[in-house]
């Protein structure tokens, strides 16, 4: 018989398998965060599936923001936070790596609870990350700025005022600008910490639809307190409480067949 | 309700009294000095017998004061601007260190300028220098640097941490965050800092008394002594001759106008460059 034989058919099968079970781009192993005696994150183990929206749920103070900050190393800004464990992004452990921190952070786009446009023009906000990357070609920058502003549906609204201050936009527009600016550095992951909590329903809807559109190309981790939003968007759900992952799985598993009392109580409160 | 009204009235009264005091100072200075103010005052150096009512002006003190305060402000900016940014960006993790540094800077701010004068004088002797433009600039720079750092720092402190994080998350280094984002967002504070430092520098007499000295000439090199407006005012006020005392007020008008011009200019500049800032 000789060598094992793989039919074209089984390769096809493998491809389908891959497509349904996406590889993890981000793996967290035994992540612990402490602030003094306060154990903020307790032995977190996670795999975030590629090109999916992973929703992070949990009561206030359970450590969602802290977890996101670990992922892009913003915990560095807080000396009191002691972080240990492993976080693998593209198989590189960012907690124990020699890679430069700005390079790691550019693999992720951050959307915070409230938009923080940089104190420069709309155009420069989007161009900012590119310039940091060393892109100097004016045409390329202009092309990219337009592309990403179109991607977030802002282009038509701002194309005639690209040089006005970004702070002159409405909050909803600012949040989309922040998304465009994050996308411009070509991240593979988007970290969104309650990105719609400061927005009106229409702007929230726009952001939600955007997420649905762009998840083909990006892996999105979304923290939200809006249960209906979670149900609308989630491909994968993680429920945390008091620094621990309580349940993790598909939306159906968590939203319809909650196994723990904690999650059930949370879902009841949410509705 | 009545109580509320009372306190609002009282606060209003205090606010307007302060403005009235400022107006009063300016009126008195102009009233006493306007007659003595003429183009000679601004464009001529003292001739023989100037201090006894003879011909001449205080151009020596005007240029000396501008040289010293501009020089000192430049040094203070070069030292103070990066220092304030360092304090707020590099040291963001170290709150206790930050507060200790702020405490020392506040103490430095509070030291009377005559002490800086004495310190500058000691330093000068140590290096074998004479009273000179350079010694004056260095002493005034020491005097105003803490003002520069703390004033700028106070504004940098108020920048939301979210903006700091947003900049880092986009991939800026800490230095890029400091100089491109924090500096930009804190620019109005920077202008205020420059203005306060400059104002303190040009108006201070005690720090330059022994270090810059006094001369009737306009200094050409850094090792020549330099006259300053506050000292010109001081010397002339002490004169028994009424015309000379009036000239002290005229010199005060000049000093006030210089400060006024600088502050209006600074305000315009700050407006122009903070349009893009997050409010
Ligand atoms: N720098 C810090 N120092 C000390 N404790 C901190 C620090 N940052 C966060 N914590 C604590 O860690 C816990 C988790 O905070 P975190 O902000 O991650 O919660 P969260 O899940 O995002 O809550 P919310 O839904 O209200 O945003 C809280 O108890 C908080 O007080
Ligand atoms: Mg949070």
């Amino acid at each position: 018989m000789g060598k094992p034989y793989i039919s074209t058919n089984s390769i096809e099968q493998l491809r389908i398998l891959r497509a349904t079970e996406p590889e993890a781009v981000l793996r967290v192993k035994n992540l612990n965060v402490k602030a003094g005696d306060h154990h903020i994150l307790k032995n977190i183990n996670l795999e975030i599936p590629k090109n999916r929206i992973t929703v992070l749920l949990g009561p206030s103070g359970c450590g969602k923001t802290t977890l996101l900050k670990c992922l892009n190393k913003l915990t560095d800004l807080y000396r009191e936070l002691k972080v240990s464990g492993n976080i693998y992004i593209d198989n590189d452990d960012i907690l124990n790596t020699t890679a430069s921190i700005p390079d790691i952070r550019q693999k992720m786009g951050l959307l915070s609870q409230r938009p923080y446009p940089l104190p420069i023009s709309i155009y420069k906000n989007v161009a900012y990350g590119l310039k940091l990357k060393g892109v100097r070609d004016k045409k390329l920058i202009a092309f990219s700025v337009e592309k990403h502003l179109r991607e977030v549906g802002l282009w038509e609204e701002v194309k005639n005022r690209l040089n006005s201050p970004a702070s002159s936009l409405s909050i909803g527009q600012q949040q989309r600008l922040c998304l465009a600016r994050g996308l411009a550095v070509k991240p593979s992951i988007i970290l969104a910490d309650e990105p719609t909590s400061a927005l009106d329903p229409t702007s929230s809807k726009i952001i939600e639809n955007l997420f649905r559109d762009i998840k083909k190309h990006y892996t999105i981790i979304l923290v939200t307190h809006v249960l209906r939003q979670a149900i609308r968007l989630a491909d994968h759900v993680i429920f945390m409480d008091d620094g621990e992952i309580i349940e993790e799985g598909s939306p159906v598993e968590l939203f319809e067949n909650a196994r723990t009392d904690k999650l059930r109580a949370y879902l009841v409160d949410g509705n | 309700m009545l109580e509320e009204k009372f306190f609002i009235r009282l606060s209003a009264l205090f606010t307007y009294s302060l403005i009235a005091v400022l107006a009063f100072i300016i009126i008195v200075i102009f009233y006493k000095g306007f007659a003595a103010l003429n183009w000679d005052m601004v464009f001529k150096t003292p001739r023989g017998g100037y201090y006894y009512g003879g011909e001449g002006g205080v151009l020596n003190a005007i240029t000396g004061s501008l040289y010293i305060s501009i020089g000192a402000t430049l040094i203070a900016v070069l030292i103070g601007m990066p220092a304030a940014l360092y304090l707020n960006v590099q040291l963001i993790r170290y709150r206790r260190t930050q507060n200790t540094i702020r405490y020392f800077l506040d103490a430095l701010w509070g030291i009377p300028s005559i002490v800086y004068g004495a310190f500058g004088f000691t330093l000068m002797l140590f290096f074998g220098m004479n009273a000179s433009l350079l010694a004056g600039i260095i002493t005034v720079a020491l005097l105003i640097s803490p003002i520069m750092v703390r004033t700028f720092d106070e504004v940098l402190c108020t920048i939301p941490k979210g903006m700091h994080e947003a900049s880092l998350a986009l991939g800026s280094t800490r230095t890029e965050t400091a100089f491109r984002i924090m500096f930009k967002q804190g620019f109005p504070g920077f202008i205020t800092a420059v203005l306060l430092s400059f104002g303190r520098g040009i108006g201070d007499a005690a720090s330059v008394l022994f270090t810059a000295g006094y001369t009737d000439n306009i200094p050409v090199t850094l090792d020549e002594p330099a006259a300053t407006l506050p000292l010109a005012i001081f010397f002339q006020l002490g004169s028994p001759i009424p015309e000379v005392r009036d000239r002290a007020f005229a010199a005060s008008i000049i000093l006030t106008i210089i400060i006024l011009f600088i502050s209006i200019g600074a305000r315009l500049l700050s407006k122009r460059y903070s349009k893009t800032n997050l409010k």
Side-chain angles (χ1 to χ4, degrees):
Chain A
M1 287 296 290
K3 294 179 203 162
Y5 172 73
I6 300 176
S7 72
T8 41
N9 192 34
S10 49
I11 289 177
E12 196 53 49
Q13 292 291 306
L14 212 66
R15 204 172 279 146
I16 292 169
L17 204 71
R18 281 248 178 82
T20 46
E21 200 126 311
E23 55 185 308
V25 274
L26 205 156
R27 283 182 297 130
V28 177
K29 263 195 175 163
N30 304 329
L31 179 71
N32 281 283
V33 177
K34 286 180 193 164
D37 307 336
H38 186 180
H39 208 152
I40 300 174
L41 291 180
K42 300 168 189 162
N43 222 31
I44 301 286
N45 285 286
L46 276 180
E47 292 205 346
I48 305 288
K50 190 174 176 170
N51 295 358
R52 294 283 185 274
I53 299 179
T54 298
V55 169
L56 206 52
L57 285 177
S60 183
C62 71
K64 305 179 294 293
T65 299
T66 309
L67 178 57
L68 290 196
K69 282 190 175 158
C70 289
L71 299 183
N72 67 356
K73 290 187 85 104
L74 282 179
T75 40
D76 282 1
L77 296 187
Y78 306 82
R79 190 165 67 133
E80 62 276 17
L81 297 182
K82 300 276 178 273
V83 182
S84 63
N86 311 94
I87 296 173
Y88 297 96
I89 293 174
D90 300 336
N91 292 318
D92 185 20
D93 181 3
I94 62 160
L95 293 184
N96 311 286
T97 181
T98 50
S100 89
I101 296 179
D103 286 347
I104 294 172
R105 289 191 179 129
Q106 287 205 328
K107 291 182 178 177
M108 283 164 273
L110 175 71
L111 267 191
S112 47
Q113 198 161 353
R114 182 210 126 180
Y116 287 104
L118 301 176
I120 41 184
S121 69
I122 295 171
Y123 184 90
K124 285 184 178 164
N125 258 274
V126 186
Y128 184 76
L130 291 171
K131 289 192 179 146
L132 290 180
K133 280 199 151 182
V135 182
R136 290 280 172 274
D137 183 348
K138 289 228 166 66
K139 268 193 191 141
L140 190 64
I141 292 177
F143 172 79
S144 176
V145 168
E146 178 173 344
K147 177 179 163 208
H148 293 290
L149 284 174
R150 279 191 193 283
E151 200 171 7
V152 300
L154 205 54
W155 177 253
E156 292 302 324
E157 290 161 64
V158 302
K159 66 178 179 196
N160 295 321
R161 48 190 283 212
L162 289 170
N163 292 320
S164 351
S167 54
S168 68
L169 295 171
S170 76
I171 298 289
Q173 290 172 324
Q174 286 181 15
Q175 191 66 300
R176 280 185 280 152
L177 178 69
C178 288
L179 181 58
R181 148 186 107 179
L183 295 179
V185 296
K186 299 256 172 284
S188 53
I189 301 164
I190 291 167
L191 308 174
D193 194 353
E194 300 179 47
T196 60
S197 64
L199 306 189
D200 63 289
T202 318
S203 306
S204 303
K205 194 107 234 157
I206 296 176
I207 295 271
E208 278 188 25
N209 290 338
L210 271 172
F211 277 2
R212 230 178 262 127
D213 289 344
I214 64 176
K215 76 174 180 189
K216 293 190 284 287
H217 309 291
Y218 304 93
T219 302
I220 300 172
I221 305 179
L222 170 71
V223 172
T224 180
H225 280 297
V226 186
L227 212 48
R228 258 169 298 171
Q229 185 176 63
I231 293 169
R232 282 195 293 270
L233 293 179
D235 298 310
H236 185 77
V237 187
I238 295 168
F239 174 68
M240 293 175 62
D241 188 22
D242 197 18
E244 285 175 297
I245 294 181
I246 307 292
E247 284 195 42
E248 181 182 353
S250 70
V252 179
E253 283 173 312
L254 267 80
F255 294 138
E256 285 160 32
N257 307 301
R259 278 175 282 124
T260 55
D261 292 339
K262 274 184 183 157
L263 177 55
R264 250 175 260 134
Y266 183 83
L267 292 176
V268 170
D269 290 345
N271 290 321
Chain B
M1 233 18 249
L2 201 68
E3 201 182 357
E4 166 99 353
K5 243 185 195 155
F6 174 73
F7 279 111
I8 290 179
R9 292 265 160 84
L10 198 67
S11 318
L13 180 72
F14 289 162
T15 311
Y16 295 120
S17 340
L18 282 175
I19 294 173
V21 169
L22 177 67
F24 192 58
I25 292 175
I26 292 177
I27 289 169
V28 168
I29 292 173
F30 270 80
Y31 176 75
K32 306 230 8 169
F34 200 71
L37 190 64
N38 52 41
W39 292 120
D40 276 6
M41 217 32 225
V42 185
F43 289 115
K44 284 195 174 148
T45 52
R47 301 287 148 83
Y50 174 76
Y51 297 101
Y52 302 102
E55 258 187 59
V58 288
L59 182 63
N60 59 329
I62 296 175
T63 44
S65 265
L66 285 177
Y67 285 169
I68 289 181
S69 48
I70 290 173
T73 306
L74 282 178
I75 294 178
V77 165
L78 283 179
I79 298 172
M81 194 255 287
L85 289 169
Y86 174 83
L87 187 59
N88 282 279
V89 178
Q90 307 286 341
L91 291 184
I92 190 167
R93 280 160 58 90
Y94 306 101
R95 206 161 308 138
R96 204 173 305 155
T97 315
Q98 277 181 330
N99 289 336
T100 314
I101 293 175
R102 289 190 178 120
Y103 173 81
F104 278 111
L105 288 170
D106 287 344
L108 281 175
W109 187 330
I111 293 177
S113 57
I114 187 75
V115 178
Y116 281 96
F119 177 71
F121 185 63
T122 317
L123 214 62
M124 206 174 83
L125 293 184
F126 180 78
F127 287 109
M129 287 162 69
N130 294 319
S132 61
L133 191 56
L134 183 65
I137 288 177
I138 292 173
T139 310
V140 174
L142 289 174
L143 171 75
I144 65 179
S145 288
I147 302 177
M148 177 79 217
V149 181
R150 276 297 276 139
T151 312
F152 189 26
D153 169 54
E154 277 301 303
V155 174
L156 292 176
C157 276
T158 63
I159 297 178
K161 205 157 190 177
M163 183 174 292
H164 198 141
E165 293 183 349
S167 167
L168 292 176
L170 282 169
S172 344
T173 60
R174 283 190 271 186
T175 315
E176 284 158 345
T177 303
F179 286 95
R180 292 195 179 183
I181 304 303
M182 302 290 274
F183 179 70
K184 192 82 209 327
Q185 178 70 19
F187 192 72
F190 174 68
I191 292 297
T192 311
V194 171
L195 185 68
L196 269 183
S197 315
F198 181 85
R200 178 79 197 270
I202 202 169
D204 194 70
S207 58
V208 288
L209 186 57
F210 303 118
T211 53
Y214 202 86
T215 167
D216 285 349
N217 305 318
I218 294 171
V220 184
T221 57
L222 281 172
D223 56 1
E224 283 173 54
T228 44
L229 274 171
L231 288 182
I233 296 169
F234 175 69
F235 292 143
Q236 296 179 98
L237 265 184
S239 163
I241 305 163
E243 294 94 79
V244 178
R245 285 205 299 273
D246 288 347
R247 281 180 180 166
F249 285 100
S252 306
I253 296 178
I254 296 172
L255 185 55
T256 311
I257 288 176
I258 292 177
I259 292 180
L260 219 63
F261 263 107
I262 299 277
S263 77
I264 291 172
R267 246 169 240 259
L268 292 179
L269 206 67
S270 148
K271 266 232 178 79
R272 177 153 161 61
Y273 287 100
S274 62
K275 270 188 294 200
T276 52
N277 287 12
L278 188 63
K279 294 292 178 326

